[in-house]
Amino acid sequence: MTTIEKLINLNGRSALITGAAGGLGRVMAASLAELGADLILVDLPNTEISGLINSLTERFKVNVDFMPCDLEQEVQRANLISQVKERNKSLNILINNAAFVGTSDLPGWSVPFEQQTVDTWRRAFEVNLTAIFDLCQGLIPLLRLSEGANIINIASIYGLYGPDWSLYEGTSMSNPAAYSASKGGLLQFTRWLATTIAPDVRVNAVSPGGISRGQPEAFQQRYIAKTPLGRMAIEDDFCGVVAFLASDMSRYMTGQNLIVDGGWGI
Ligand SMILES: NC(=O)c1ccc[n+]([C@@H]2O[C@H](COP(=O)([O-])OP(=O)(O)OC[C@H]3O[C@@H](n4cnc5c(N)ncnc54)[C@H](O)[C@@H]3O)[C@@H](O)[C@H]2O)c1
């Protein structure tokens, strides 16, 4: 019989994480590095990431590369894919995490429905869905050559449920239609891709619930009142989930969506 220690070990494996400088990206990078994976971190050009790289290499003695890329730009995506293929003989884990998020500061985005714009809808779909299609298609040849290969798509509870507008009353927060629709699309793309590239590469999704990030007190209190586990998420809640999905711990799982929301949606 195999051991848990062996199943979870990522020594000799490598992972590419998009949006790696963000709240969840950093935590997922640290979790995979702790398990021994070398990392390719992807985020927007000019992102200040040297502190993160130094801390990961010092703490975990793994190789960490930064490949800047604006995932909204098709040409930059193509360059990223070529660079990864040139520099790496294998890639075991691809985590599609970067996104236009609810709090992104864009015109026509986190505003009432009537003011949401087609331009911003298109931009959000480009980053949240089209870029993921591109990265998966471009990197699957490398993934197919690699042991324990898998893709993790970071979706959202808003890809599954309609927003409860009573949470937002009296705040300046909103919930963009394109965010929900792109995350819902990502969940279905996860299932579609899972059967398409099985058995070589597993494809799963994570749907996080709301992470506590200084939202207005009234929003947080109402959100918590709806959450059986009695609090909003924190970034650290995702360490175990990513370790499980990225490693052989979940080797007989594909096409699944792990909802990590403290029970908010049940
Ligand atoms: N924070 C939450 O409450 C929450 C809830 C559900 C789902 N999620 C999902 O989790 C994932 C991570 O969210 P987060 O809260 O860590 O967000 P974050 O804003 O902290 O991080 C997102 C990262 O993506 C990068 N990014 C954005 N656009 C990019 C682009 N065009 N090219 C390259 N990089 C780009 C940003 O620079 C940033 O570093 C997202 O997919 C988000 O939708 C978050």
Side-chain angles (χ1 to χ4, degrees), residues 142-186:
L142 209 50
L143 285 157
R144 280 192 199 277
L145 300 173
S146 312
E147 199 187 8
N150 70 90
I151 296 171
I152 303 172
N153 292 324
I154 307 300
S156 167
I157 49 170
Y158 291 120
L160 290 161
Y161 312 117
D164 174 351
W165 291 108
S166 69
L167 299 178
Y168 297 83
E169 268 166 30
T171 75
S172 60
M173 293 174 67
S174 194
N175 189 309
Y179 184 75
S180 263
S182 61
K183 295 297 190 178
L186 182 56

Side-chain angles (χ1 to χ4, degrees), residues 5 51 73 100 115 124 144 157 167 169 174 199 201 228 231 243-244 246 258 262:
E5 194 182 356
Q73 309 303 327
F100 272 33
Q115 294 161 33
R144 280 192 199 277
I157 49 170
L167 299 178
E169 268 166 30
S174 194
V201 183
R231 61 175 176 82
F244 172 71
L258 289 188

Side-chain angles (χ1 to χ4, degrees), residues 92-201:
N92 307 81
I93 303 155
L94 167 62
I95 305 189
N96 292 303
N97 166 68
F100 272 33
V101 295
T103 49
S104 297
D105 186 19
L106 300 160
W109 175 242
S110 207
V111 289
F113 179 49
E114 297 73 13
Q115 294 161 33
Q116 294 179 25
T117 61
V118 170
D119 257 8
T120 303
W121 166 283
R122 288 201 176 109
R123 291 188 60 194
F125 266 77
E126 193 68 24
V127 176
N128 293 13
L129 206 45
T130 310
I132 295 175
F133 166 86
D134 250 1
L135 255 56
C136 290
Q137 196 180 54
L139 294 174
I140 277 169
L142 209 50
L143 285 157
R144 280 192 199 277
L145 300 173
S146 312
E147 199 187 8
N150 70 90
I151 296 171
I152 303 172
N153 292 324
I154 307 300
S156 167
I157 49 170
Y158 291 120
L160 290 161
Y161 312 117
D164 174 351
W165 291 108
S166 69
L167 299 178
Y168 297 83
E169 268 166 30
T171 75
S172 60
M173 293 174 67
S174 194
N175 189 309
Y179 184 75
S180 263
S182 61
K183 295 297 190 178
L186 182 56
L187 288 172
Q188 184 51 21
F189 179 56
T190 300
R191 290 182 278 263
W192 185 91
L193 195 61
T195 66
T196 305
I197 59 175
D200 300 346
V201 183

Side-chain angles (χ1 to χ4, degrees), residues 7-261:
L7 286 176
I8 206 163
N9 191 341
L10 297 179
N11 275 322
R13 298 197 182 177
S14 58
L16 185 153
I17 306 173
T18 69
L24 267 189
R26 286 169 180 270
V27 161
M28 294 193 292
S31 301
L32 299 190
E34 183 184 340
L35 296 172
D38 292 326
L39 301 176
I40 301 168
L41 307 182
V42 174
D43 211 298
L44 289 166
N46 303 321
T47 298
E48 181 33 59
I49 202 160
S50 54
L52 175 64
I53 295 179
N54 291 340
S55 104
L56 292 172
T57 48
E58 276 165 28
R59 283 171 69 201
F60 303 117
K61 314 290 176 229
V62 293
N63 294 319
V64 184
D65 279 338
F66 175 50
M67 295 193 185
C69 175
D70 181 349
L71 292 165
E72 193 178 342
Q73 309 303 327
E74 197 175 346
V75 174
Q76 291 193 33
R77 298 198 297 261
N79 288 339
L80 170 68
I81 291 164
S82 311
Q83 258 188 55
V84 174
K85 284 176 162 168
E86 271 163 31
R87 292 196 210 166
N88 300 272
K89 290 196 185 67
S90 64
L91 178 70
N92 307 81
I93 303 155
L94 167 62
I95 305 189
N96 292 303
N97 166 68
F100 272 33
V101 295
T103 49
S104 297
D105 186 19
L106 300 160
W109 175 242
S110 207
V111 289
F113 179 49
E114 297 73 13
Q115 294 161 33
Q116 294 179 25
T117 61
V118 170
D119 257 8
T120 303
W121 166 283
R122 288 201 176 109
R123 291 188 60 194
F125 266 77
E126 193 68 24
V127 176
N128 293 13
L129 206 45
T130 310
I132 295 175
F133 166 86
D134 250 1
L135 255 56
C136 290
Q137 196 180 54
L139 294 174
I140 277 169
L142 209 50
L143 285 157
R144 280 192 199 277
L145 300 173
S146 312
E147 199 187 8
N150 70 90
I151 296 171
I152 303 172
N153 292 324
I154 307 300
S156 167
I157 49 170
Y158 291 120
L160 290 161
Y161 312 117
D164 174 351
W165 291 108
S166 69
L167 299 178
Y168 297 83
E169 268 166 30
T171 75
S172 60
M173 293 174 67
S174 194
N175 189 309
Y179 184 75
S180 263
S182 61
K183 295 297 190 178
L186 182 56
L187 288 172
Q188 184 51 21
F189 179 56
T190 300
R191 290 182 278 263
W192 185 91
L193 195 61
T195 66
T196 305
I197 59 175
D200 300 346
V201 183
R202 300 185 296 111
V203 190
N204 292 293
V206 178
S207 286
I211 299 174
S212 176
R213 293 259 175 89
Q215 294 93 341
E217 186 60 24
F219 175 89
Q220 292 222 21
Q221 287 314 320
R222 291 178 203 137
Y223 190 100
I224 289 168
K226 277 190 65 150
T227 309
L229 291 186
R231 61 175 176 82
M232 294 191 74
I234 55 170
E235 282 81 0
D236 266 16
D237 293 329
F238 297 87
C239 297
V241 175
V242 74
F244 172 71
L245 280 184
S247 69
D248 292 346
M249 290 282 284
S250 57
R251 68 185 183 189
Y252 197 54
M253 274 180 66
T254 196
Q256 301 303 309
N257 174 33
L258 289 188
I259 305 172
V260 185
D261 69 347

